[in-house]
Amino acid sequence: KDENGNEITTYTLIIFGDVNGDGTVTATDANIIANATVGGTIDGDAYNYAADTNGDAAVTATDANIVTNTTVGGEITVNPYEK
């Protein structure tokens, strides 16, 4: 914000795998991603971006598997969009 309190810009924090926006990667996120692969939807561009955990530009069962693995101790360790 500027000195008058006017918003200048906003930022969106992406947590890969967190598609419901609660700040954690859980089985709920994996289920949302799995549902999206069979015709369900993920609300919002940022959440769709977060769902693509392997960076192949598609939300697939592989992404759901990556998130599921994260819930049992695995990690999403690389930003797939980093160049």
Side-chain angles (χ1 to χ4, degrees):
K1 295 185 178 190
D2 66 14
E3 64 275 355
N4 297 319
N6 298 313
E7 187 174 290
I8 296 171
T9 191
T10 59
Y11 297 91
T12 301
L13 174 67
I14 304 293
I15 301 173
F16 284 99
D18 178 22
V19 296
N20 65 357
D22 66 358
T24 58
V25 179
T26 65
T28 299
D29 298 302
N31 288 334
I32 292 169
I33 294 170
N35 285 336
T37 68
V38 292
T41 59
I42 298 173
D43 294 331
D45 290 340
Y47 297 130
N48 274 290
Y49 189 71
D52 182 18
T53 57
N54 66 353
D56 67 355
V59 176
T60 66
T62 299
D63 299 303
N65 289 336
I66 290 169
V67 172
T68 297
N69 185 50
T70 301
T71 67
V72 294
E75 294 181 350
I76 301 171
T77 57
V78 177
N79 176 346
Y81 299 94
E82 190 174 71
K83 300 210 188 292

